[in-house]
Every structure is written in structure tokens, then in C-alpha cells.
Amino acid sequence: MKVSDYIKNSDKTIFSFEIIPPLKGAGINAICEGIDPLMEFKPPFINVTYHREEYQYKKMKNGLLKKISVRKRPGTVGISAAIMNRYNVDAIPHMICGGFTKEETESALIDLKFLGVDNVLALRGDPIKTEDVFIPNSNGNEFALDLINQISDMNEGRYLHDETKNASSNFCIGVAGYPEKHFEAMNLTTDLQNLKKKVAAGADFIVTQMFYDNSKYFEFVDKCRSIGIKVPIIPGLKPITTLKHISFLPKFFHLDFPEELSTELLKCKTDSDVKQVGLEWGIKQSQELVKNNVPVLHYYTMGKGIAVKNIVKEIF
């Protein structure tokens, strides 16, 4: 079922979460440890992230270096199929621009359609570690908007190199939204205009980057509505669980902690201290969002299902 239909058919806030594929060589049990604790709350769908290739340089016998592409985690097609089969829930695979040609993207979408996947999350993706800026593959999609257009074309039966119309796909397309703006955007206004273009191109719902200040989410929604963005906007949440998160999350995800939260985090001496503060904040944040009738509470588990469960059991 489509995410948009789940939201339309529900009279209360829905619970969902996102998982990270295991490192290559691991089986499905490696991700079940993060999924199993959360299934009692009956999520209708689970997001599956995609991690693009990285590059290593291998020294050859002639002394030159050979650039080798390495994928450290399996792709989302197989994982989505395994999750749908094992848990009888909808899987939402992430589709990214980086690392793929348009032909490879089309092949992945054909496979997902064959498997009965109804939803995808269309993202540009991050630059690889060896690049300062995002560089698309030759004949690949450069922006998330380009990827959305390709998916929308398939939904209309228009494939890349076929002159005749083919069987249409029917993907429900999700995109990312940034309550504190994408770090590459000039300002929030230009970021919102870009988001509006994604919706006009076919996006059916928005999932936000994680945030810790609900007022920023509410302001973001209001600004979206004021420029004509009408699709559901799903808040993304993540528990703070370690001392490392105090500096890592603001730096890596380009977000701010509200003063009330940062004051409590600065008192923490151990990971256990942080975990307790994160738990209390996560519950408080989630309760306020539900009170304001958000369509879905979507949690970024990072493979840590128990941390999310301790919040969710107080909400659902």
C-alpha cells in the first residue's frame, strides 16, 4: 500500500522507522535485531537506507594506483524483499543519484516494481568521502529532482530508450525535507522552493531530516503550506544515546539542539547519562508532535531498535 493511502486511511498518528543495511556478508538476522523490538507497535512500513560505493586505491605491481569501487553494504532491492516477506510490512527503499547511471536506476525500479514495492524515497545522496562536493555518475541523475522526474516518467509508462509506451509503474514517491534547511542551500526560502519543485514533479510525501526543536518542524510545515506544498510532511526523529552524539549530530546533520536540551546534555558524564536525557527528550518531543496530529512519527534507528522502543512504548 502507498504511504499516502496509509495516512489517508488512518485516524491517528502512524509509527514507522528506518533501518541501515548490515555490512556486506551479513544475513537478514543482522538487521532483525534492530527490527524485532519494534514490530509490536505494528509499523505499516519500514524505510531501508542505501549507502553508495566508496573508493579504495590499490597499489599495482608497476607502482601505479588503481581506483577500486567498494560497496560495504548490500543494496535495498534484496533487503526490501526480505523485510516484506518476513514481516508482512511495506518496505520503502531509498533511491539515490550517486553511484548510478539512469539505466541502472531504471533497472532497480523495474526490479522493485516486480517485487510489489509501492513506495520509494528519492534522494540525491551524499558525496563520497574522497570528494568535497557531490559528483554524479556519467549519464546519472544529478539532483533528486532529476530522479523524481525519472520515476514519474516510469509511472506514466515512459522508459529511457523505448519508443513505445510500456506498462506503467505506480510508485508513491517520498522526498527529504529540511526544517533547518539543507546545508548546501543559500537559505530556507530557496530550499523550500526547490522542495516545491520536487512535489510538482511527482513527490507524494515528505520525510524530514531529524530535528530536536519541534517549533522548527511546525514553522517548516507552515512555510511549506504557505507556498502551496500540500503533501503530508512526516517528522523524522532520532534518540540521542551517546556522548559522541552531542558533537556528532549537529556537525554531521547540520542541526541545532534547543537550549533546554543542550543544557541537560552538558551535564552528562557518561553514555548512560546521555541515554536518559535522550529518552526523556524523545518522549516529550514525540508526545507534543502527536498532540499536534502529525501524520506519522518516523524514527531513525541507526540499528538501535531498543533505544527507539523505549520512547515509542510511551507513545503508541
Side-chain angles (χ1 to χ4, degrees):
M1 184 184 291
K2 294 183 176 183
V3 169
S4 54
D5 289 332
Y6 279 119
I7 293 173
K8 187 186 304 181
N9 296 336
S10 179
D11 59 359
K12 59 183 180 180
T13 300
I14 298 169
F15 162 65
S16 72
F17 61 95
E18 177 180 293
I19 63 163
I20 297 176
L23 292 172
K24 64 182 180 182
I28 190 173
N29 288 336
I31 58 174
C32 290
E33 293 179 3
I35 295 176
D36 287 345
L38 300 172
M39 293 311 297
E40 66 177 276
F41 305 107
K42 303 187 185 307
F45 50 85
I46 298 172
N47 284 28
V48 183
T49 65
Y50 185 87
H51 293 254
R52 64 173 296 183
E53 85 283 11
E54 297 178 10
Y55 290 102
Q56 296 178 355
Y57 290 89
K58 182 178 180 181
K59 190 172 184 179
M60 309 299 288
K61 290 182 179 180
N62 60 7
L64 297 177
L65 296 177
K66 182 179 180 181
K67 188 177 181 180
I68 300 173
S69 174
V70 178
R71 295 189 185 275
K72 293 189 174 182
R73 299 178 188 271
T76 56
V77 174
I79 292 175
S80 295
I83 289 174
M84 291 168 67
N85 179 66
R86 184 172 184 128
Y87 294 104
N88 193 30
V89 300
D90 279 300
I92 305 180
H94 290 198
M95 299 293 296
I96 65 172
C97 300
F100 293 96
T101 64
K102 293 178 182 179
E103 287 79 9
E104 289 170 333
T105 294
E106 181 173 278
S107 294
L109 290 167
I110 290 171
D111 288 344
L112 291 171
K113 178 179 182 294
F114 174 80
L115 290 170
V117 172
D118 294 321
N119 308 276
V120 294
L121 193 68
L123 309 167
R124 187 198 69 178
D126 297 321
I128 58 177
K129 294 178 181 178
T130 54
E131 296 173 349
D132 293 330
V133 297
F134 177 83
I135 300 174
N137 273 34
S138 177
N139 196 35
N141 290 306
E142 184 174 3
F143 300 106
L145 180 61
D146 302 322
L147 177 56
I148 296 163
N149 282 324
Q150 182 175 1
I151 300 169
S152 294
D153 281 345
M154 282 189 59
N155 281 350
E156 296 294 328
R158 296 189 297 270
Y159 290 64
L160 287 175
H161 304 301
D162 295 341
E163 296 181 359
T164 58
K165 189 172 182 179
N166 292 278
S168 301
S169 57
N170 192 26
F171 292 112
C172 180
I173 305 171
V175 295
Y178 297 85
E180 298 175 67
K181 95 170 183 61
H182 191 279
F183 72 98
E184 293 178 0
M186 291 186 290
N187 51 52
L188 184 56
T189 298
T190 60
D191 202 22
L192 287 170
Q193 289 298 329
N194 186 51
L195 182 58
K196 185 176 181 179
K197 291 177 183 177
K198 295 178 187 179
V199 173
D204 299 289
F205 65 96
I206 297 165
V207 182
T208 76
Q209 176 62 276
M210 67 183 73
F211 59 90
Y212 294 91
D213 185 342
N214 283 352
S215 68
K216 293 188 177 181
Y217 168 79
F218 296 133
E219 290 169 5
F220 177 73
V221 173
D222 288 343
K223 289 178 179 178
C224 285
R225 301 306 184 222
S226 71
I227 63 171
I229 297 175
K230 299 179 180 180
V231 299
I233 301 175
I234 298 171
L237 306 171
K238 175 178 170 30
I240 305 171
T241 57
T242 67
L243 286 166
K244 180 181 177 181
H245 282 165
I246 295 175
S247 59
F248 173 79
L249 293 177
K251 178 181 178 181
F252 190 81
F253 293 101
H254 307 277
L255 53 83
D256 291 333
F257 290 143
E259 186 173 336
E260 181 183 352
L261 175 58
S262 64
T263 298
E264 294 303 312
L265 288 173
L266 288 172
K267 298 176 185 176
C268 295
K269 304 298 182 183
T270 66
D271 285 347
S272 295
D273 294 338
V274 173
K275 190 175 293 185
Q276 183 60 35
V277 170
L279 171 63
E280 293 172 1
W281 190 266
I283 292 172
K284 176 183 175 181
Q285 193 177 9
S286 299
Q287 287 174 334
E288 183 181 21
L289 290 166
V290 170
K291 185 178 179 180
N292 282 270
N293 300 313
V294 298
V296 182
L297 285 182
H298 181 71
Y299 294 87
Y300 299 106
T301 68
M302 309 295 282
K304 308 295 183 183
I306 295 299
V308 172
K309 178 178 180 178
N310 289 336
I311 294 173
V312 173
K313 68 182 182 181
E314 301 296 328
I315 310 300
F316 293 95

